[in-house]
Amino acid sequence: MKKSVRISLAAAGVFLLLGMGLWFVPGVKFSAQLCVGIAAALVLWAVLLRWAEKSRSGKICKGILLAFVLAGFVGFCSLELLLVTQGTADNSDRPSDAVIVLGAGVNGTVPSLALATRIDVAADYLEAHPDVPAILSGGQGPGEDITEARAMYDALTKRGIEPGRLILEERSTSTAENFRYSGELLVESGMDMAESTIAVVTNDFHCFRAGMIARRAGLTVFELPAELPWKWLSVNYYVREAFALVKSVLFD
């Protein structure tokens, strides 16, 4: 067995063990699945290497696969550059006509880590822009005793944000619905959406896709990124978001 084949199989074993270990770490299930997928791909690569040793067809298939892998890697890096650029932009001083805070998970009645960071960014922006109203957008999902909108409302009012500035949108179950229903509420409040600029609060890794979905809904937006406190967790979500972006472009 050639050294390259042995290395591929050893690397597959490492990724498989890593995936099995990550499976039990909260919040990184995608990374666990990705590691298992990479392990499977490395096993297939080892099989292809063996085939290429014995067959011209195998060598051709190996070259084609390498070309696809290279193209995929370049595409992935390009997407990550877009995501990171959008997710690290500082728009906190930009004026807006309204804010939409996108919901995330709630554990019972307690905001998840992702939602807590969004609440912090929303509170800072609303304190700095005291005349701007906010739509708190998010319905109720499994394991949630209250809607995500209500969880945000409770947290923001405890931070001293006036209740009269906060409008609850409690029907949405997806980012597209967040913007659709929030836009309807803004129109009902008398806002001319054609002339209005909306600040969208979401996590940094989600900024690019959220902005794209908002513009599809006819909104003029800029994003206020909320950064997760743990870098390793951010890496997991940034990688996952690249795949989510491709899915959104192709199928949504």
Side-chain angles (χ1 to χ4, degrees), residues 116-117 119-125 127 152-162:
T117 59
I119 291 169
D120 288 340
V121 169
D124 290 342
Y125 187 84
E127 288 168 359
M152 289 188 278
Y153 177 91
D154 292 343
L156 287 169
T157 52
K158 286 180 182 177
R159 290 277 295 264
I161 304 300
E162 295 177 9

Side-chain angles (χ1 to χ4, degrees), residues 48 51-64:
L48 184 58
W51 183 27
E53 292 175 13
K54 304 174 182 179
S55 165
R56 185 170 180 273
S57 297
K59 291 180 181 179
I60 293 173
C61 289
K62 175 186 171 184
I64 293 173

Side-chain angles (χ1 to χ4, degrees), residues 112-136:
S112 63
L113 177 63
L115 186 56
T117 59
R118 299 181 191 192
I119 291 169
D120 288 340
V121 169
D124 290 342
Y125 187 84
L126 292 171
E127 288 168 359
H129 301 79
D131 297 325
V132 177
I135 303 287
L136 311 179

Side-chain angles (χ1 to χ4, degrees), residues 181-195:
Y181 298 145
S182 295
E184 291 173 0
L185 290 175
L186 289 172
V187 170
E188 288 175 10
S189 71
M191 187 170 292
D192 182 357
M193 301 308 295
E195 302 294 331

Side-chain angles (χ1 to χ4, degrees), residues 11-249:
V14 171
F15 274 103
L16 180 60
L17 290 173
L18 182 59
M20 292 170 62
L22 289 174
W23 186 260
F24 300 99
V25 179
V28 293
K29 286 289 193 296
F30 175 81
S31 290
Q33 294 167 347
L34 183 62
C35 286
V36 173
I38 291 173
L42 285 168
V43 170
L44 291 175
W45 176 247
V47 172
L48 184 58
L49 288 176
R50 291 283 289 173
W51 183 27
E53 292 175 13
K54 304 174 182 179
S55 165
R56 185 170 180 273
S57 297
K59 291 180 181 179
I60 293 173
C61 289
K62 175 186 171 184
I64 293 173
L65 180 59
L66 280 174
F68 274 108
V69 169
L70 180 59
F73 179 74
V74 171
F76 173 78
C77 290
S78 299
L79 288 180
E80 287 298 327
L81 180 60
L82 287 175
L83 296 175
V84 172
T85 300
Q86 199 85 344
T88 54
D90 183 4
N91 295 318
S92 57
D93 291 333
R94 290 184 61 176
S96 67
D97 298 293
V99 177
I100 296 176
V101 189
L102 301 184
V106 176
N107 303 312
T109 61
V110 179
S112 63
L113 177 63
L115 186 56
T117 59
R118 299 181 191 192
I119 291 169
D120 288 340
V121 169
D124 290 342
Y125 187 84
L126 292 171
E127 288 168 359
H129 301 79
D131 297 325
V132 177
I135 303 287
L136 311 179
S137 180
Q140 185 173 349
E144 299 177 342
D145 295 336
I146 58 176
T147 64
E148 295 162 8
R150 175 58 62 177
M152 289 188 278
Y153 177 91
D154 292 343
L156 287 169
T157 52
K158 286 180 182 177
R159 290 277 295 264
I161 304 300
E162 295 177 9
R165 299 172 62 191
L166 306 177
I167 303 170
L168 276 66
E169 184 287 293
E170 301 180 279
R171 294 187 294 160
S172 57
T173 59
S174 67
T175 303
E177 289 182 353
N178 286 146
F179 290 117
R180 183 186 315 135
Y181 298 145
S182 295
E184 291 173 0
L185 290 175
L186 289 172
V187 170
E188 288 175 10
S189 71
M191 187 170 292
D192 182 357
M193 301 308 295
E195 302 294 331
S196 301
T197 299
I198 311 300
V200 175
V201 178
T202 190
N203 287 108
D204 49 4
F205 56 85
H206 188 232
C207 280
F208 185 88
R209 185 160 59 99
M212 180 182 72
I213 295 171
R215 293 177 184 94
R216 282 180 180 173
L219 304 179
T220 300
V221 303
F222 64 86
E223 297 77 32
L224 297 172
E227 183 179 349
L228 295 175
W230 302 322
K231 296 298 182 185
W232 59 270
L233 194 57
S234 292
V235 171
N236 169 78
Y237 284 118
Y238 266 111
V239 172
R240 188 183 74 171
E241 189 65 18
F243 291 90
L245 179 60
V246 172
K247 176 180 176 294
S248 183
V249 169

